[in-house]
Short mmCIF file of all heavy atoms in Angstrom, two decimals:
data_model
loop_
_atom_site.label_atom_id
_atom_site.label_comp_id
_atom_site.label_asym_id
_atom_site.label_seq_id
_atom_site.Cartn_x
_atom_site.Cartn_y
_atom_site.Cartn_z
N SER A 1 0.79 -1.24 0.00
CA SER A 1 -0.01 -0.03 0.03
C SER A 1 0.86 1.32 0.02
O SER A 1 0.24 2.36 0.10
CB SER A 1 -0.97 0.08 1.25
OG SER A 1 -1.81 -1.07 1.19
N ILE A 2 2.14 1.22 -0.16
CA ILE A 2 3.02 2.40 -0.11
C ILE A 2 2.79 3.25 -1.31
O ILE A 2 2.73 4.40 -1.29
CB ILE A 2 4.46 2.02 0.01
CG1 ILE A 2 4.74 1.38 1.36
CG2 ILE A 2 5.35 3.20 -0.22
CD1 ILE A 2 6.13 0.88 1.51
N TYR A 3 2.60 2.56 -2.47
CA TYR A 3 2.46 3.29 -3.69
C TYR A 3 1.02 3.16 -4.26
O TYR A 3 0.52 2.05 -4.38
CB TYR A 3 3.45 2.76 -4.82
CG TYR A 3 4.85 2.92 -4.30
CD1 TYR A 3 5.60 1.79 -3.93
CD2 TYR A 3 5.46 4.14 -4.25
CE1 TYR A 3 6.90 1.96 -3.54
CE2 TYR A 3 6.83 4.28 -3.90
CZ TYR A 3 7.51 3.17 -3.47
OH TYR A 3 8.86 3.17 -3.07
N THR A 4 0.45 4.29 -4.71
CA THR A 4 -0.80 4.27 -5.41
C THR A 4 -0.63 5.23 -6.61
O THR A 4 0.11 6.20 -6.55
CB THR A 4 -2.03 4.67 -4.57
OG1 THR A 4 -1.76 6.09 -4.08
CG2 THR A 4 -2.26 3.73 -3.43
N SER A 5 -1.43 5.00 -7.71
CA SER A 5 -1.48 5.90 -8.78
C SER A 5 -2.85 5.78 -9.39
O SER A 5 -3.48 4.78 -9.30
CB SER A 5 -0.36 5.70 -9.75
OG SER A 5 -0.30 4.33 -10.25
N TYR A 6 -3.26 6.81 -10.14
CA TYR A 6 -4.54 6.92 -10.75
C TYR A 6 -4.47 7.51 -12.15
O TYR A 6 -3.55 8.23 -12.49
CB TYR A 6 -5.39 7.93 -9.88
CG TYR A 6 -5.59 7.43 -8.48
CD1 TYR A 6 -4.71 7.78 -7.46
CD2 TYR A 6 -6.63 6.64 -8.11
CE1 TYR A 6 -4.84 7.40 -6.17
CE2 TYR A 6 -6.88 6.19 -6.89
CZ TYR A 6 -5.95 6.56 -5.87
OH TYR A 6 -6.12 6.14 -4.61
N ALA A 7 -5.44 7.12 -12.91
CA ALA A 7 -5.61 7.76 -14.26
C ALA A 7 -5.99 9.22 -13.99
O ALA A 7 -6.75 9.46 -13.08
CB ALA A 7 -6.75 6.98 -15.01
N ASP A 8 -5.67 10.04 -14.91
CA ASP A 8 -5.96 11.43 -14.74
C ASP A 8 -7.50 11.69 -14.64
O ASP A 8 -7.95 12.50 -13.95
CB ASP A 8 -5.40 12.26 -15.90
CG ASP A 8 -3.89 12.42 -15.79
OD1 ASP A 8 -3.30 12.20 -14.67
OD2 ASP A 8 -3.30 12.73 -16.88
N SER A 9 -8.22 10.90 -15.32
CA SER A 9 -9.69 11.04 -15.45
C SER A 9 -10.38 10.75 -14.22
O SER A 9 -11.58 11.09 -14.04
CB SER A 9 -10.21 10.09 -16.53
OG SER A 9 -9.90 8.77 -16.32
N VAL A 10 -9.75 10.03 -13.19
CA VAL A 10 -10.36 9.70 -11.95
C VAL A 10 -9.69 10.31 -10.69
O VAL A 10 -10.23 10.20 -9.60
CB VAL A 10 -10.53 8.16 -11.82
CG1 VAL A 10 -11.16 7.56 -12.95
CG2 VAL A 10 -9.16 7.62 -11.44
N LYS A 11 -8.60 11.04 -10.93
CA LYS A 11 -7.87 11.60 -9.83
C LYS A 11 -8.72 12.55 -9.04
O LYS A 11 -9.47 13.40 -9.61
CB LYS A 11 -6.65 12.37 -10.26
CG LYS A 11 -5.39 11.48 -10.43
CD LYS A 11 -4.24 12.33 -10.94
CE LYS A 11 -3.09 11.47 -11.20
NZ LYS A 11 -1.92 12.21 -11.88
N GLY A 12 -8.71 12.45 -7.77
CA GLY A 12 -9.48 13.29 -6.89
C GLY A 12 -10.99 12.80 -6.67
O GLY A 12 -11.74 13.41 -5.81
N ARG A 13 -11.33 11.81 -7.39
CA ARG A 13 -12.66 11.24 -7.25
C ARG A 13 -12.67 9.77 -6.80
O ARG A 13 -13.50 9.37 -6.12
CB ARG A 13 -13.45 11.29 -8.59
CG ARG A 13 -13.63 12.69 -9.14
CD ARG A 13 -14.56 12.73 -10.41
NE ARG A 13 -14.03 11.99 -11.50
CZ ARG A 13 -14.64 10.90 -12.05
NH1 ARG A 13 -15.88 10.56 -11.60
NH2 ARG A 13 -14.07 10.26 -13.08
N PHE A 14 -11.68 9.09 -7.24
CA PHE A 14 -11.50 7.64 -6.90
C PHE A 14 -10.40 7.37 -5.93
O PHE A 14 -9.40 8.11 -5.93
CB PHE A 14 -11.25 6.78 -8.12
CG PHE A 14 -12.42 6.70 -9.06
CD1 PHE A 14 -13.56 7.49 -8.98
CD2 PHE A 14 -12.33 5.77 -10.16
CE1 PHE A 14 -14.60 7.41 -9.83
CE2 PHE A 14 -13.38 5.58 -11.09
CZ PHE A 14 -14.51 6.44 -10.91
N THR A 15 -10.56 6.43 -5.01
CA THR A 15 -9.53 6.05 -4.06
C THR A 15 -9.41 4.52 -4.06
O THR A 15 -10.36 3.84 -3.82
CB THR A 15 -9.79 6.62 -2.68
OG1 THR A 15 -10.00 7.96 -2.69
CG2 THR A 15 -8.66 6.23 -1.74
N ILE A 16 -8.16 4.09 -4.26
CA ILE A 16 -7.90 2.63 -4.15
C ILE A 16 -7.28 2.34 -2.80
O ILE A 16 -6.44 3.13 -2.29
CB ILE A 16 -6.93 2.17 -5.30
CG1 ILE A 16 -6.82 0.67 -5.33
CG2 ILE A 16 -5.55 2.83 -5.23
CD1 ILE A 16 -6.12 0.10 -6.57
N SER A 17 -7.61 1.28 -2.14
CA SER A 17 -7.12 0.84 -0.93
C SER A 17 -7.14 -0.66 -0.81
O SER A 17 -7.78 -1.32 -1.66
CB SER A 17 -7.83 1.41 0.25
OG SER A 17 -9.20 1.02 0.23
N ARG A 18 -6.47 -1.34 0.11
CA ARG A 18 -6.48 -2.66 0.27
C ARG A 18 -6.43 -3.08 1.74
O ARG A 18 -5.88 -2.28 2.60
CB ARG A 18 -5.28 -3.37 -0.51
CG ARG A 18 -3.94 -2.99 0.07
CD ARG A 18 -2.87 -3.50 -0.95
NE ARG A 18 -2.79 -4.98 -0.99
CZ ARG A 18 -2.24 -5.63 -1.97
NH1 ARG A 18 -1.57 -4.94 -2.99
NH2 ARG A 18 -2.17 -6.88 -1.98
N ASP A 19 -6.89 -4.20 2.07
CA ASP A 19 -6.85 -4.78 3.42
C ASP A 19 -6.28 -6.20 3.28
O ASP A 19 -6.98 -7.16 2.80
CB ASP A 19 -8.24 -4.83 4.07
CG ASP A 19 -8.24 -5.36 5.50
OD1 ASP A 19 -7.18 -5.93 5.90
OD2 ASP A 19 -9.21 -5.06 6.20
N ASN A 20 -5.00 -6.29 3.54
CA ASN A 20 -4.33 -7.59 3.33
C ASN A 20 -4.74 -8.67 4.34
O ASN A 20 -4.62 -9.84 4.07
CB ASN A 20 -2.77 -7.35 3.39
CG ASN A 20 -2.22 -6.79 2.20
OD1 ASN A 20 -2.90 -6.62 1.18
ND2 ASN A 20 -0.97 -6.38 2.24
N THR A 21 -5.36 -8.26 5.42
CA THR A 21 -5.92 -9.26 6.36
C THR A 21 -7.29 -9.81 5.88
O THR A 21 -7.68 -10.91 6.23
CB THR A 21 -6.17 -8.65 7.71
OG1 THR A 21 -7.24 -7.64 7.63
CG2 THR A 21 -4.98 -8.02 8.35
N GLU A 22 -7.90 -9.01 5.00
CA GLU A 22 -9.22 -9.57 4.34
C GLU A 22 -9.06 -10.02 2.85
O GLU A 22 -10.01 -10.39 2.22
CB GLU A 22 -10.27 -8.39 4.47
CG GLU A 22 -10.65 -8.05 5.81
CD GLU A 22 -11.43 -9.02 6.50
OE1 GLU A 22 -12.08 -9.85 5.86
OE2 GLU A 22 -11.33 -9.10 7.76
N ASN A 23 -7.78 -9.93 2.39
CA ASN A 23 -7.46 -10.36 1.03
C ASN A 23 -8.32 -9.55 0.05
O ASN A 23 -8.81 -10.15 -1.01
CB ASN A 23 -7.69 -11.88 0.80
CG ASN A 23 -6.59 -12.69 1.62
OD1 ASN A 23 -5.66 -12.09 2.02
ND2 ASN A 23 -6.89 -13.98 1.58
N THR A 24 -8.56 -8.28 0.29
CA THR A 24 -9.46 -7.54 -0.55
C THR A 24 -8.84 -6.16 -0.91
O THR A 24 -8.17 -5.52 -0.12
CB THR A 24 -10.79 -7.28 0.23
OG1 THR A 24 -11.35 -8.50 0.53
CG2 THR A 24 -11.77 -6.44 -0.60
N VAL A 25 -9.07 -5.78 -2.15
CA VAL A 25 -8.76 -4.46 -2.63
C VAL A 25 -10.05 -3.68 -2.96
O VAL A 25 -11.04 -4.31 -3.42
CB VAL A 25 -7.85 -4.48 -3.87
CG1 VAL A 25 -8.48 -5.17 -5.08
CG2 VAL A 25 -7.40 -3.10 -4.20
N TYR A 26 -10.14 -2.47 -2.68
CA TYR A 26 -11.24 -1.59 -2.86
C TYR A 26 -11.00 -0.46 -3.86
O TYR A 26 -9.87 0.01 -4.02
CB TYR A 26 -11.72 -1.00 -1.51
CG TYR A 26 -11.96 -2.02 -0.39
CD1 TYR A 26 -11.03 -2.31 0.51
CD2 TYR A 26 -13.14 -2.68 -0.34
CE1 TYR A 26 -11.15 -3.22 1.53
CE2 TYR A 26 -13.42 -3.55 0.65
CZ TYR A 26 -12.38 -3.88 1.61
OH TYR A 26 -12.58 -4.84 2.61
#
């Protein structure tokens, strides 16, 4: 989770995150 990046078209509107204890990315 140290690095994230976004397409310009979604920056400021979308957020990616993950929970490695739940094996899930959001």
